[in-house]
Amino acid sequence: MEELYGRERAVMEQALAWEDLQKEIADTPGGMLSPATRLHIDLQGKDPDEGLTGIPYDKGAAFLRMLEHNVGRERFDAYLRSYFDRYAFQPMTTKLFLEDLRKNLIKGDKQLEEKLKIDEWVYKPGIPDNAIVPEAPEFAQVAQASQRFVQGAPPESLAFAKWGTAERVRFLNGLPRKLAAERLAALDRTYNLSSSRNNEVLFAWLRLAVANRYDPAVPALERFLTSMGRRKFVAPLFEDLMKQGEWGRPIATRIYEKARPTYHSVTTGTVDKILKGGA
């Protein structure tokens, strides 16, 4: 991301992922103390799909950023290159990875070992205190725009059209989950959100619409859920619908009946539980 689009864009994407991580941990029973927040998850005797949450991805990315920050990019890049060469086309385990990290990156440096806290990152729940929190200054302007919109500013007065994906997603995610229908309509009409061809932006818009029980967005929601199979997008939207009780449950049931035959078994396994749990 940084190589293609620049450092600012990369940091904004990191900041969005960091926010997603905080939210997913908060929504996990037990929060920071939950075993589900560990990078190493014991799936012995369990369905492997139970380990497929967003936490290993986003916490894992934060772990790698912490390593790079402490040893420097040049040294870390050299280690990664050698790591890929050593294990090309081979399986990997947590134990073997940490052994390799200690042998080829830390190299017996006790001070560095203590500073990195790798066992705490991998085997303990929560987020260690040496995490590098991404800070995107551009999001301060986005937050101001969100506040202005909530206070009544017309959508066309915002810089939304000039923003990139990360800023648009941050804006939509930052809006209150309770907005007047006419405000949502104005936003959609101005920026054609229901027809967005960017899945990240459309996903953020649809979550906002569902939270507000915004009926005009339901056709776009149905198109999205019947053409998109990624669990990352599908599962949260069905969860959102089920939380909306008498309004959302019938919509979820109707759309899922149509979409289910087109989904991968991993996705149906997750969504089946969502609809059953909310029945």
Side-chain angles (χ1 to χ4, degrees):
M1 184 64 71
E2 183 173 334
E3 183 69 21
L4 291 173
Y5 298 106
R7 175 70 177 167
E8 291 181 355
R9 170 73 180 272
V11 173
M12 284 192 283
E13 297 286 353
Q14 292 170 14
L16 288 175
W18 179 261
E19 291 176 358
D20 288 342
L21 176 61
Q22 304 308 306
K23 185 178 186 303
E24 185 150 16
I25 289 177
D27 291 341
T28 298
M32 284 286 190
L33 299 178
S34 171
T37 65
R38 297 181 302 195
L39 284 179
H40 178 82
I41 299 175
D42 183 9
L43 292 173
Q44 189 69 34
K46 301 177 182 177
D47 185 340
D49 290 339
E50 292 180 17
L52 293 177
T53 69
I55 292 175
Y57 292 94
D58 292 330
K59 183 180 177 181
F63 174 55
L64 295 178
R65 285 198 300 272
M66 180 277 299
L67 292 175
E68 181 192 65
H69 175 82
N70 281 285
V71 304
R73 175 168 292 187
E74 183 176 355
R75 178 176 170 183
F76 190 59
D77 280 356
Y79 167 71
L80 286 179
R81 178 70 272 168
S82 68
Y83 170 85
F84 290 131
D85 289 340
R86 279 190 296 280
Y87 299 105
F89 306 107
Q90 298 180 54
M92 177 54 61
T93 66
T94 301
K95 182 176 181 293
L96 181 58
F97 168 71
L98 293 184
E99 287 176 353
D100 188 87
L101 194 68
R102 287 187 164 101
K103 178 181 178 181
N104 295 293
L105 182 66
I106 299 175
K107 298 181 178 180
D109 187 332
K110 294 183 178 180
Q111 281 190 321
L112 179 60
E113 171 92 25
E114 292 177 0
K115 189 176 183 180
L116 296 180
K117 302 182 179 182
I118 59 176
D119 284 333
E120 184 176 344
W121 272 94
V122 174
Y123 291 113
K124 293 186 179 181
I127 307 295
D129 59 11
N130 65 341
I132 309 302
V133 180
E135 296 183 0
E138 296 81 4
F139 283 173
Q141 297 178 356
V142 174
Q144 293 175 0
S146 297
Q147 186 176 15
R148 288 179 52 234
F149 177 75
V150 171
Q151 293 174 345
E156 55 269 21
S157 71
L158 307 176
F160 191 92
K162 299 178 181 180
W163 290 337
T165 297
E167 292 151 302
R168 294 180 180 189
V169 169
R170 182 65 181 82
F171 172 79
L172 293 169
N173 287 345
L175 290 176
R177 300 296 94 173
K178 296 300 178 185
L179 286 171
E182 56 268 23
R183 296 299 286 158
L184 292 168
L187 193 61
D188 191 13
R189 184 171 57 250
T190 303
Y191 298 113
N192 299 313
L193 294 174
S194 291
S195 301
S196 176
R197 298 178 65 181
N198 183 308
N199 285 331
E200 296 286 354
V201 173
L202 181 56
F203 174 65
W205 161 247
L206 292 175
R207 296 201 74 179
L208 176 65
V210 170
N212 283 278
R213 300 189 177 191
Y214 184 60
D215 287 307
V218 172
L221 175 67
E222 182 166 356
R223 287 194 301 272
F224 187 70
L225 288 174
T226 54
S227 61
M228 165 58 66
R230 290 188 64 188
R231 188 168 62 168
K232 166 189 174 181
F233 294 123
V234 169
L237 283 170
F238 277 111
E239 286 180 340
D240 292 346
L241 283 168
M242 296 303 287
K243 289 177 182 178
Q244 293 303 320
E246 74 283 355
W247 180 84
R249 188 178 299 114
I251 297 173
T253 302
R254 175 176 59 78
I255 294 177
Y256 190 49
E257 183 177 355
K258 180 179 179 181
R260 191 181 190 281
T262 70
Y263 288 165
H264 189 281
S265 60
V266 170
T267 300
T268 58
T270 298
V271 181
D272 284 349
K273 293 178 182 178
I274 292 172
L275 266 66
K276 183 179 180 180

